[in-house]
Amino acid sequence: MDSKFPMLNTSLCYLEKDDAYLMLHRIKKEHDMNKDKWIGVGGKFEPFESPEDCVIREVREETGVTLTHYRYRGIVTFLLGDLTEYMHLFTADGWTGQMIEGDACREGVLEWVPKAEVTKLPIWEGDKIFLRLLDEERPFFSLKLRYEGDTLAEAVLNGKALELG
């Protein structure tokens, strides 16, 4: 990897139940680029993992449950400063095991949030775009989101620029 221009592979999963998403309020880690934001659950790939391996492991580590029914929905390319992150986006509606409750998660606080309320939370602006695509049941998509600081500067869906604002 070029240390001047790092590239990350991550997974992100939105668990779905009763028209709500399981959201993670990232409040526990000091140097967290998602600090104080609400996101789905997921994290960085470990060596030799596929997107599916990563999402299953990360969901188990952060929530205590093992996915049994999930869908790979799209890839989101985040550009922030010198960082390029390829986030593999999933939704899931089947799992086994006992869900970790509230702040027992080491990453933050887990909470079921009605889907209609999620975009009112402090989330990344680009998350609103892919959450809408998930809600619309769009087929597999590629979304590029370029940020300047915390501001979304560019969004490109399947190679076509989107109007911002």
Side-chain angles (χ1 to χ4, degrees):
M1 179 177 353
D2 184 339
S3 61
K4 186 176 177 191
F5 299 104
M7 294 164 71
L8 273 186
N9 273 294
T10 63
S11 67
L12 188 69
C13 188
Y14 287 91
L15 280 70
E16 301 175 284
K17 179 179 82 171
D18 301 328
D19 207 34
Y21 284 129
L22 183 64
M23 299 296 292
L24 176 59
H25 191 195
R26 299 288 297 238
I27 56 172
K28 291 190 176 178
K29 288 185 173 179
E30 276 307 307
H31 302 288
D32 182 354
M33 69 184 281
N34 292 304
K35 183 138 178 75
D36 297 326
K37 298 224 186 298
W38 291 77
I39 62 172
V41 294
K44 296 180 186 111
F45 279 39
E46 289 186 352
F48 311 109
E49 283 188 323
S50 69
E52 294 81 4
D53 295 335
C54 180
V55 76
I56 289 168
R57 179 186 51 76
E58 284 287 346
V59 167
R60 187 178 52 250
E61 288 176 3
E62 292 184 6
T63 70
V65 301
T66 300
L67 296 180
T68 59
H69 189 259
Y70 55 91
R71 292 191 314 164
Y72 191 0
R73 305 294 299 276
I75 185 148
V76 181
T77 304
F78 284 103
L79 305 174
L80 179 61
D82 292 339
L83 175 68
T84 300
E85 177 182 345
Y86 299 106
M87 184 189 75
H88 302 264
L89 183 62
F90 292 82
T91 54
D93 60 7
W95 53 85
T96 60
Q98 185 65 37
M99 182 80 65
I100 292 171
E101 298 290 329
D103 68 354
C105 175
R106 72 179 198 280
E107 304 285 335
V109 178
L110 293 167
E111 185 177 322
W112 288 101
V113 178
K115 290 179 181 181
E117 302 296 314
V118 169
T119 58
K120 297 174 185 170
L121 297 171
I123 64 175
W124 289 97
E125 197 63 30
D127 291 13
K128 295 176 183 177
I129 297 170
F130 66 71
L131 287 166
R132 178 178 48 82
L133 297 171
L134 295 177
D135 187 51
E136 293 172 356
E137 287 293 327
R138 290 284 185 100
F140 192 90
F141 58 86
S142 175
L143 178 64
K144 179 173 91 171
L145 302 170
R146 183 175 58 80
Y147 283 88
E148 293 174 2
D150 281 349
T151 303
L152 182 61
E154 178 185 33
V156 179
L157 177 61
N158 296 327
K160 295 186 174 145
L162 297 177
E163 191 77 29
L164 296 179

